């Protein structure tokens, strides 16, 4: 395993899976395909069903409907110890009375692997996660990041087809989380192991994943690359859960100059293309909006709107404004530069919105 790709890796198919606790539905008609060697994230708020879905892949529960396949094998009713998937738990679940080496060897001993083979595979796994010199320490003698790597080594040593990670960084401080997520991704790229990562942290999912499934209330809201989900959200939930978004409710009308989005408070935005008339919302990111101050702040047609600065927040790299535009409040992020003079609270400003950055939301 040392410096070699793990050959036994497989894709995962989840097909029309339903799951409930008693009469309470947890997952509803969930279907997705995870490609072999992909780093895939289940992302959603608490109660969205993401951890339940991961545990079904691991075998800690059986769907009420649907099936789960690893490669060509249907594992829906296969017990966990026969699935050849490895799971790293949020708590790491290390045995405190065992050394690092003994913790890593535990799964191999349960599989009755020969002693000489266990020693070699344990050392290879510890070398892979950068802990080759700490084999005789106990968990209490390790940092949080080192304990997480032991949990990873213990899972990798059994050479699973799929690696499952249940919020493995949640117990670490902010700086270590950033460091460890980079290490996790580098390890996954080195091994080529199909990896499913559960998190509620959008930044973590965006930074590590090839693709993301966004879940809410037991249903998949959208699946795609992080940048595609961010730039082209399928609905209001995805737009607001993945980063900060402005959402304005209104309607599209067909007018001589083209399709116009209108909202309460004299908001009128000329749209690109010819979207159908009817109720709609628009979503756009704070960095897609620009401010103009002073005499240039008079309202005009198109994507230029008059507003008043209601709140100003200095966030280091950006100055974030909340601007009252009619009956709506629009967040605007302006890059901060030294000695730049910010807009004052109460100032009348013009809000310029790049219509190419607008996402139309229906329903």
């Amino acid at each position: 395993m040392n410096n070699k790709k793990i050959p036994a890796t497989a894709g995962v198919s989840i097909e029309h899976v339903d799951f409930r606790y008693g009469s309470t539905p947890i997952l509803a008609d969930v279907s997705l395909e995870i490609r072999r060697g992909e780093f895939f994230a289940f992302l959603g708020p608490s109660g969205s069903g993401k951890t339940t879905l991961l545990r079904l892949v691991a075998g800690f529960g059986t769907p009420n409907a649907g099936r789960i396949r690893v490669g060509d094998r249907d594992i829906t009713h296969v017990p966990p110890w026969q699935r050849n998937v490895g799971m790293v738990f949020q708590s790491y679940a290390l045995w405190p009375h065992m050394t690092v080496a003994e913790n890593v060897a535990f799964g191999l001993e349960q599989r009755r692997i020969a002693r000489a083979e266990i020693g070699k595979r344990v050392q290879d796994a510890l070398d892979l996660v950068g802990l080759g010199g700490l084999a005789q320490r106990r968990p209490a003698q390790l940092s949080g990041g080192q304990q997480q790597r032991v949990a990873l080594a213990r899972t990798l040593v059994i050479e699973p087809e799929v690696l499952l990670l249940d919020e493995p960084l949640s117990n670490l401080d902010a700086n270590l989380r950033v460091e460890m997520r980079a290490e996790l991704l580098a390890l996954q790229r080195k091994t080529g192991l199909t990896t499913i990562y559960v998190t509620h942290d959008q930044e973590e999912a965006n930074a590590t994943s090839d693709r993301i499934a966004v879940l809410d209330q037991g249903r998949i809201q959208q699946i795609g690359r992080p940048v595609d989900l961010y730039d082209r959200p399928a609905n209001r939930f995805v737009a607001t859960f993945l980063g900060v978004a402005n959402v304005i409710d209104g309607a599209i009308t067909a007018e001589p100059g083209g399709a116009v989005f209108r909202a309460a408070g004299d908001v009128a935005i000329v749209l690109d293309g010819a979207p159908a008339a009817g109720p709609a919302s628009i979503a756009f990111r704070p960095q897609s909006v620009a401010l103009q101050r002073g005499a240039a702040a008079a309202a005009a047609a198109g994507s230029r709107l008059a507003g008043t600065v209601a709140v100003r927040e200095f966030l280091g790299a950006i100055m974030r404004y909340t601007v009252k535009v009619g009956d709506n409040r629009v967040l605007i992020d302006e890059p901060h530069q030294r000695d730049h003079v910010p807009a004052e609270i109460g100032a009348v400003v013009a809000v310029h919105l790049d219509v190419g950055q607008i996402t139309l939301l229906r329903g």
Side-chain angles (χ1 to χ4, degrees):
M1 188 165 63
N2 196 18
N3 293 325
K4 294 181 181 179
K5 293 206 169 193
I6 295 175
T9 190
V12 177
S13 297
I14 297 170
E15 302 170 3
H16 304 290
V17 163
D18 289 347
F19 184 77
R20 60 183 177 270
Y21 288 124
S23 61
T24 304
I26 306 298
L27 296 169
D29 195 26
V30 172
S31 293
L32 57 89
E33 293 280 339
I34 299 167
R35 301 165 189 145
R36 178 175 175 172
E38 189 171 31
F39 198 122
F40 194 98
F42 295 163
L43 175 66
S46 297
S48 62
K50 60 187 185 298
T51 295
T52 298
L53 186 57
L54 189 79
R55 291 177 67 85
L56 291 180
V57 176
F60 304 129
T62 303
N64 297 105
R67 68 174 184 168
I68 300 170
R69 290 188 296 117
V70 171
D72 296 327
R73 189 163 65 112
D74 187 339
I75 63 166
T76 310
H77 300 286
V78 174
W81 56 90
Q82 293 180 3
R83 292 192 176 204
N84 199 25
V85 301
M87 187 162 178
V88 176
F89 296 92
Q90 185 175 354
S91 64
Y92 311 148
L94 301 178
W95 297 102
H97 64 285
M98 293 183 178
T99 65
V100 165
E102 289 167 344
N103 267 281
V104 175
F106 184 78
L108 297 177
E109 291 170 346
Q110 297 303 301
R111 288 164 173 79
R112 309 213 182 274
I113 305 296
R115 176 62 55 185
E117 177 67 11
I118 289 176
K120 180 180 183 305
R121 286 171 63 172
V122 166
Q123 190 59 52
D124 284 350
L126 289 175
D127 288 342
L128 187 64
V129 299
L131 295 179
L134 303 183
Q136 298 310 309
R137 292 194 184 181
R138 298 190 186 277
Q141 298 173 296
L142 304 176
S143 68
Q146 288 170 334
Q147 289 182 38
Q148 192 243 27
R149 286 186 234 170
V150 174
L152 270 172
R154 183 182 57 189
T155 303
L156 293 172
V157 78
I158 65 171
E159 298 183 352
E161 293 178 283
V162 180
L163 175 63
L164 309 178
L165 303 172
D166 183 12
E167 303 213 42
L169 307 183
S170 60
N171 294 327
L172 306 178
D173 63 48
N175 290 336
L176 189 53
R177 283 178 74 131
V178 172
E179 178 184 330
M180 289 306 300
R181 79 185 185 205
E183 290 192 15
L184 269 178
L185 182 58
L187 182 63
Q188 191 273 339
R189 295 303 190 229
K190 180 187 291 186
T191 63
L193 190 58
T194 304
T195 299
I196 306 176
Y197 187 95
V198 161
T199 182
H200 63 274
D201 188 311
Q202 304 95 315
E203 183 177 293
E204 249 173 47
N206 286 338
T208 58
S209 306
D210 296 309
R211 288 189 302 147
I212 298 170
V214 181
L215 287 90
D216 185 45
Q217 298 182 355
R219 294 184 179 273
I220 292 180
Q221 304 298 309
Q222 192 172 356
I223 299 172
R225 298 184 309 150
V227 67
D228 294 332
L229 300 183
Y230 186 85
D231 287 345
R232 293 176 174 81
N235 55 38
R236 182 188 294 258
F237 176 81
V238 177
T240 55
F241 189 72
L242 281 174
V244 178
N246 296 295
V247 180
I248 298 177
D249 300 319
I252 297 172
T253 59
E255 303 184 16
V260 178
F261 174 82
R262 294 190 178 275
D266 296 324
V267 171
I269 299 172
V270 178
L271 301 174
D272 287 336
S281 301
I282 60 170
F284 54 94
R285 302 294 180 183
Q287 67 270 22
S288 301
V289 193
L291 288 182
Q292 271 197 347
R293 303 160 173 77
S303 59
R304 189 175 173 199
L305 306 168
T308 304
V309 176
V311 179
R312 186 180 71 194
E313 298 174 282
F314 176 57
L315 302 180
I318 61 171
M319 187 71 73
R320 175 166 291 170
Y321 298 97
T322 302
V323 177
K324 193 170 186 301
V325 177
D327 294 341
N328 300 282
R329 289 179 173 260
V330 175
L331 294 177
I332 301 173
D333 287 347
E334 191 174 75
H336 172 69
Q337 301 289 336
R338 183 186 298 177
D339 300 327
H340 177 71
V341 179
E344 297 293 336
I345 293 175
V348 175
V349 295
V351 177
H352 287 261
L353 173 59
D354 180 351
V355 293
Q357 300 297 314
I358 289 175
T359 298
L360 285 177
L361 305 175
R362 303 278 189 172

